[in-house]
Structures are given as structure tokens and as C-alpha cells.
Amino acid sequence: MDNFFFNIGDSIRDSVNDAIRYLVINYADGFEQFSGFFITILVTIERALRWFPEPLLIALIMALAFIASRRWLLCLGVGLGMYLIGCLGLWDQSLQTIAIMLVSMLIAIVIGLPLGILTARSNRFRTVLSPVLDLMQTIPSFVYLIPAAMLFGLGKMPAILATVIYATPPLIRLVDLGIRGVDKEVVEASRAFGATRWQVLTRVQIPLALPSIMQGINQTMMMALAMVVVASMIGARGLGETVLLGLQRNDAGQGLLGGIAIVILAIVFDRITQAAGRRAQAHHQS
Amino acid sequence: MFPTIRSLLLGTLASFSIFSYANEPQCDIDRPIVFAGFDWDSITFHNSVARYILEHGYGCATDEIPGSTIPLFNGMSRGNIDIAMEIWLQSVDELWREMEADGIAKTIGINVDDAKQAFFIPRYLVEGENAPAPDLKSVADLPRYAQLFADQEDPDKGRFYNCILGWSCEKTNTAKLYAYGLDKDFVNFRPGSGNAVASAVESAILRQKPILFYYWTPSWLIGKFSDELIILEEPAYDEAIWSNLLAATDKDADLTKVESATAYPDSQLAIGVTTAFAQSAPQTIEFLSRYHTSSEIVSEALADMRNNDTRDEAIAKRFLEKYPDLWIQWVSPEVATRINESL
């Protein structure tokens, strides 16, 4: 039976290993400089978050929730959630996690938005990209994390990379879906009024697809939070570290504390972005 | 077409019929023997060798459950796992002693008795014409060289790659950082997995970059790069200081208050089984209690594993072929014959 399957496993394994070795020897310094750029952004965000006195930061997040939802109850709940994280003794870790989430989300938006628009415009591009997105969402992250750690160095950069790879696909898919869902007659009408393709895209399609795009950003955030434990495996600090520590020391209590804090963060950011999305929708229907 | 399919089918059937062998050995136990697949590399080697010997020499079926230490020890307590081939007695002291005291598990042999733990730096930092740190010999010199090991995320400090987050060596090393006064100049970087540190070290060595890290033997990393690495000197091992240090790493003590530390002593890596398994599988226990390797043999085999076929059976075969005089002491002559026939 051994001869039935042509053995390509060994040669793939060897050539991948050689390629990684080659990349590390020749380009890892460059990769590290490249990651230095993102780490500077990350560290700045983190320092800024830490610079705020805790009550002020909670107030700011509450204000954000209010602007997004115009609902006092949600605003209050968000404030309470953030306060609770502080009570769990995980304030600093949460800020580190938020910083990683924000940077990953920004990168995901920069990559995901144009790609989503492209997939909405071209069926062929969508056919090509679709399996790539499947791969990004299902491949076990350690498969690329270890080579990434060799190239970028351990710490926050490979964590951001893993998060971006995992969290961008839903944004691309939802942008695609949102733009495709825009009523064809509306598009045709705007064309008839002499709008250029760019005008149709920016003035009609994107605004009408906004709820869907917001949903995509929301999903990206949720997935970024889901990646924090994996990120901590390669040395990114934050709530993931708390959970991992609990697991590795047989300290279920600490694991739960970290888990609860992640859930609270998820709920807070979910509600804020959801509310923003809903208001965007309402705005366009009125 | 028809004959080809027929012969394929027959071949498949034939491969199932190995049980009809006349002189078939009798395994102690009529279910697969389950090994703990801890998440460090030497366990892959020991499990492969022990499983190969049990399968081909004793006619046993074996299996392995992968995971990290705590969940796997819990699995042993519940009886889901029979054998742990490498227990770092010093590190998991409390938990393992508890399991022994409760009569759940017992130590039946010493696998390796010269396992080492230390702080490593690459040799090219110290030796050679343009070596950036010719005077870096011991941990006491480290504060002067913090810039050499600068941490990208916190550029004013050096980065010390500690042991894996949550392992007891991580606490011990953290206490050492304070004892040696390194906490001000170095970031205590605690990765979440062994692979992560190893990849950082391999990447640094390939590029001849500075790196300061804790690691242990037996491991593929030290086996592969033994010529490129040197151990930083620490104050000589002293039992009194050491037990103070270990006491400080106990649950709630304050690690920052530790004032002195010494080098790690050589560690013993034990083989442990559940008591229930020990009672029902005397042959296996006899074999396992004689199973004994050394840090050097294992590190070398592990480095070898990086460059060769890593299927369990291939790992075991390479070892069995290379050290016939060693493993023959672990088993009876009939078992040895059967294993030799299978190679």
C-alpha cells in the first residue's frame, strides 16, 4: 500500500524548512525592523491607555458607548463592566490586551476593507480569495506562529500577525456581502444621474453597506479577543497570559478570572460596535 | 483491473493477521497502554522508544495522549494515563509527592540522572576577534551588558528569555533575577511554550545575534547547538541557599524578596506509573524500572530528530540500532531477540 500514495510529504517538509532557514539568515533583521514600526504604534497606544487615570478611562469608554448608542443603560453597563475588570485585579493586563486588539483591528481594516470591496466587484477575485480565507481561518495558528516568531522575534508582533490572519476574513466576507446586498436599482439610478464608479462606491455602496461593514469590524474584534490565549503562547502579555498561567499551574480560579475579563471586554466592545452599526443603519433608513 | 484490486484486498487482510503468529508474546494487559505526551521534546523520544519496545518486544498495544503537565497528571489521577516517562522531580515536587502520598501513582525508576538547567548565551558573544562581550562570564556581569540583549518592546532594558510561563522553572528563574539584581536591567520575558523559546534561540544563532535565555538538557536545542552555546557562571550550588530559594517559589511567597541564589543542581528525571497499572502489568514495570538513559544520549537523539524522519517508529529504530548495548540491559533475552528481528 505504501506505493499507492506518492510521497510528497518529505520533500515539502524539507523545502519549507530550508526556505525558513534561508529567510531567517538573510531577512530576519529586516523583518524585525519592520515589526519595530508596529511595535512602536502598539507601545504608544499601550502607554497612552496606561497614562489615563483609571476613572477617566472608564468615563471615556462610557462616553464612547453613549455616542455610539445614545442609551444610558448600555453606557452604564459598559462602565460597570470595565470597573469590574479593575476589581478582578486585571486592569493592566486588560489594557495590554486592548492595545493588541486595537492594532490588530486597524491592520485588519486596512487590509480587509479594500479586499472586501474588490471581492464584491469581481466574481473571479472572489473565487480566488475564498479558499485563501478558508485557510486563514482554519489553519492551526502554531503552524505559522513558530516560523513567524523566528522572523519577527518573540512577543507582540507574531501575536498581532496571528490575530490579523485569524480576524481579517470575517471583515472581508461581510464587506463583500454588504456591498453585494446594495439594491441594484439604487446603483443603476445613481449611474443614470452621471455618478462615476468611485462616486457610486463611496457615496452609495459603502454608506448603504455600512451596517454590514460595522458587523464585520465587530466580528474582527471578537476574533481578536478570542486569539489572546494563543498570543500569550508566544510571549504577548495581557489577559491571555493570566489564563495560560492558570492552566499551566492547575489554578482553575485564576484561569476563570482571566476568562471572565476577556468575556467582559468582548461584551463591552461588542455592544459598542453593534450599537454604532445599528445607528448607522437607522441613519440611512431615515 | 480485477486482479489488482483482489491482491490489494488480500494484502490488507494479511496485514491484519499478524495475531496468528505462533510465538506471539503475551502483553500484561489487554488494552492499549497509555503514555503521557508532555509538551517538551525529549518526551517524544522516550515515548517512541518505550512504545516501540513494548509493541515489538512484549506484543502490547500502546497509545499516547498529548498535553501539558497539569492536565496529564490529572489524567493519571483519573486512570486515563498509565505511564509518564519523564517526571522532573524537583520541579513538580509538590504535585507528584501528593499523588504518591495518595497512593495514586509511584516512581518506578530514574530515566536520566544528569539533567541540567542553566542560563545560556551564544559562544560568539564572548569568543572571537569581534566578540561584543569578551568579559561576559557570569550572571554578575550581566547588568553591564543589558544593552546587548535589548528588548525591542522595551528598548532600555535587556530581554531575558525565561522558562515557560507557569512552569516551576519560571518561578525559580524569576527569583534568581531578583537575587542577582537583574530585575532592574532586564525584562523577565516569559514565553508560553517551549517551541517559542527554541525558535527565538535558533533564529538568533542562525543570524549570530545576541540572546540570553534559560534552557535545559536533555533537549534538541542544546543537543543541536551544544558547540555554539556556553553556560553563564552562577554561584556554585549550595543546598541551604537552594532550599531557601525553592521555599520562596512556593505558592504565595514574595519572589522579589529572594536575596541569594545558586546554580541549578543536576536534576533527576523519573519514570512514574499509576499504582493500578503497576499492579496489573508486572512485565512492563520490570522493563520500565530498568529504563535508563543520559542527558547526552537524549540531547543527541533529539538534535538528530530535527534533521531526520520524525515518525515515532523511525526515532525509536535509530536509537535501538545505535545503542544495542544499552537497551539490551532493560529487557529479557527473548524480548531482545524479538526487537532485533523487528529492526
Side-chain angles (χ1 to χ4, degrees):
Chain A
M1 279 305 262
D2 275 351
N3 297 329
F4 176 69
F5 291 111
F6 182 66
N7 182 357
I8 55 166
D10 287 346
S11 47
I12 291 181
R13 174 177 171 242
D14 291 344
S15 47
V16 167
N17 286 340
D18 288 346
I20 289 171
R21 205 186 140 84
Y22 175 80
L23 279 178
V24 168
I25 292 175
N26 294 294
Y27 298 109
D29 293 355
F31 275 103
E32 249 174 46
Q33 270 162 13
F34 171 74
S35 74
F37 169 69
F38 288 102
I39 285 173
T40 319
I41 299 179
L42 183 72
V43 171
T44 317
I45 292 182
E46 211 181 294
R47 289 215 174 127
L49 286 174
R50 282 187 183 197
W51 174 83
F52 280 112
E54 290 91 345
L56 188 60
L57 192 61
I58 293 182
L60 269 176
I61 295 176
M62 285 171 77
L64 197 67
F66 184 75
I67 294 169
S69 70
R70 299 287 154 86
R71 278 165 50 206
W72 284 109
L73 204 64
L74 181 86
C75 172
L76 217 66
V78 162
L80 207 66
M82 292 307 292
Y83 182 71
L84 192 62
I85 290 179
C87 297
L88 293 173
L90 295 171
W91 184 257
D92 279 350
Q93 287 92 327
S94 300
L95 295 188
Q96 287 170 326
T97 295
I98 292 174
I100 291 188
M101 185 193 75
L102 287 179
V103 173
S104 311
M105 200 187 72
L106 284 177
I107 300 177
I109 291 174
V110 168
I111 299 173
L113 214 52
L115 281 181
I117 293 168
L118 270 178
T119 36
R121 301 212 136 185
S122 151
N123 279 329
R124 192 178 293 166
F125 187 69
R126 191 194 209 184
T127 319
V128 176
L129 196 68
S130 185
V132 178
L133 297 184
D134 293 336
L135 177 115
M136 284 162 76
Q137 284 190 294
T138 47
I139 196 166
S141 33
F142 261 76
V143 171
Y144 54 83
L145 268 185
I146 292 303
M150 289 185 77
L151 287 172
F152 293 106
L154 282 197
K156 286 169 177 148
M157 190 58 205
I160 291 176
L161 184 81
T163 311
V164 167
I165 289 180
Y166 185 64
T168 313
L171 180 62
I172 298 179
R173 289 200 165 115
L174 280 160
V175 170
D176 173 36
L177 208 65
I179 292 183
R180 276 171 194 261
V182 172
D183 201 336
K184 282 208 173 58
E185 286 174 13
V186 178
V187 175
E188 269 164 31
S190 56
R191 281 260 171 81
F193 281 115
T196 60
R197 285 179 71 125
W198 177 251
Q199 282 171 329
V200 172
L201 180 70
T202 52
R203 306 262 174 88
V204 180
Q205 287 176 311
I206 290 184
L208 284 177
L210 210 55
S212 193
I213 294 173
M214 283 308 287
Q215 191 67 36
I217 291 174
N218 169 281
Q219 284 303 300
T220 299
M221 272 182 155
M222 297 301 106
M223 297 204 139
L225 282 172
M227 279 299 276
V228 295
V229 177
V230 172
S232 71
M233 307 280 276
I234 41 168
R237 279 164 204 187
L239 289 172
E241 195 183 19
T242 313
V243 175
L244 189 67
L245 200 64
L247 293 182
Q248 306 234 28
R249 285 200 183 138
N250 202 15
D251 187 345
Q254 181 163 20
L256 184 67
L257 289 188
I260 289 176
I262 293 176
V263 171
I264 293 176
L265 279 190
I267 293 176
V268 165
F269 286 102
D270 176 65
R271 292 304 127 85
I272 293 177
T273 43
Q274 291 264 24
R278 235 175 285 132
R279 275 178 47 81
Q281 196 167 15
H283 180 73
H284 276 284
Q285 276 166 359
S286 61
Chain B
M1 207 49 201
F2 180 68
T4 333
I5 292 171
R6 211 175 99 93
S7 61
L8 275 176
L9 281 175
L10 282 177
T12 322
L13 284 178
S15 65
F16 280 124
S17 62
I18 49 164
F19 295 107
S20 61
Y21 224 67
N23 193 17
E24 189 57 26
Q26 264 297 264
C27 185
D28 287 328
I29 229 168
D30 60 356
R31 62 169 175 87
I33 298 173
V34 185
F35 283 76
F38 297 114
D39 50 356
W40 58 85
D41 50 1
S42 49
I43 203 71
T44 314
F45 168 77
H46 292 302
N47 282 357
S48 303
V49 171
R51 287 178 67 181
Y52 187 93
I53 292 176
L54 283 176
E55 280 174 13
H56 293 88
Y58 293 88
C60 294
T62 66
D63 199 359
E64 179 175 331
I65 298 182
S68 58
T69 311
I70 303 292
L72 291 182
F73 273 11
N74 289 344
M76 283 183 94
S77 302
R78 292 175 45 94
N80 303 127
I81 291 169
D82 302 308
I83 303 172
M85 287 300 289
E86 197 183 287
I87 300 167
W88 287 66
L89 287 179
Q90 270 116 341
S91 309
V92 292
D93 193 51
E94 203 181 327
L95 190 61
W96 185 250
R97 291 281 133 83
E98 248 171 51
M99 284 168 64
E100 281 191 310
D102 293 347
I104 294 167
K106 60 183 194 176
T107 308
I108 54 162
I110 297 298
N111 185 341
V112 169
D113 55 16
D114 59 348
K116 290 188 173 45
Q117 302 172 73
F119 294 0
F120 289 88
I121 54 167
R123 191 178 288 278
Y124 49 74
L125 293 183
V126 189
E127 289 172 13
E129 261 177 49
N130 296 318
D135 299 328
L136 180 53
K137 297 259 175 331
S138 90
V139 288
D141 305 323
L142 278 175
R144 281 188 284 137
Y145 289 105
Q147 273 310 308
L148 184 64
F149 302 104
D151 185 339
Q152 204 180 14
E153 289 166 18
D154 195 352
D156 300 334
K157 293 180 170 186
R159 183 186 269 190
F160 166 67
Y161 287 87
N162 198 335
C163 186
I164 289 132
L165 184 70
W167 288 16
S168 69
C169 43
E170 173 243 309
K171 277 181 150 186
T172 315
N173 289 333
T174 303
K176 282 186 171 195
L177 286 185
Y178 286 103
Y180 297 145
L182 299 174
D183 55 300
K184 287 177 240 43
D185 302 311
F186 283 86
V187 172
N188 180 13
F189 187 84
R190 305 178 297 177
S193 73
N195 286 337
V197 201
S199 68
V201 172
E202 194 176 13
S203 169
I205 290 178
L206 285 175
R207 293 179 290 144
Q208 307 268 301
K209 289 274 177 181
I211 187 163
L212 165 68
F213 64 104
Y214 157 91
Y215 220 77
W216 63 89
T217 68
S219 59
W220 73 262
L221 188 72
I222 306 300
K224 181 171 178 181
F225 296 115
S226 56
D227 297 334
E228 279 104 332
L229 293 171
I230 55 175
I231 291 177
L232 277 182
E233 286 167 21
E234 289 176 71
Y237 173 68
D238 176 288
E239 212 181 319
I241 296 177
W242 188 253
S243 50
N244 270 339
L245 182 73
L246 284 189
T249 59
D250 257 5
K251 280 202 168 106
D252 293 316
D254 188 357
L255 294 178
T256 59
K257 297 273 158 53
V258 178
E259 274 168 4
S260 54
T262 72
Y264 278 94
D266 279 4
S267 305
Q268 289 199 326
L269 313 186
I271 299 173
V273 297
T274 60
T275 343
F277 181 75
Q279 280 154 7
S280 55
Q283 276 184 53
T284 311
I285 298 300
E286 201 185 331
F287 152 60
L288 288 177
S289 61
R290 288 193 217 150
Y291 187 104
H292 183 78
T293 59
S294 77
S295 196
E296 199 188 327
I297 292 176
V298 179
S299 289
E300 190 192 283
L302 291 176
D304 209 35
M305 249 162 74
R306 298 290 294 184
N307 307 324
N308 284 300
D309 195 340
T310 50
R311 273 170 298 184
D312 293 355
E313 195 166 298
I315 296 168
K317 276 187 173 171
R318 272 201 305 276
F319 167 79
L320 295 169
E321 277 160 6
K322 197 165 174 186
Y323 296 99
D325 301 335
L326 181 66
W327 62 264
I328 209 145
Q329 301 163 24
W330 306 341
V331 296
S332 67
E334 306 91 77
V335 173
T337 316
R338 277 197 290 268
I339 290 170
N340 274 325
E341 275 167 9
S342 77
L343 287 177

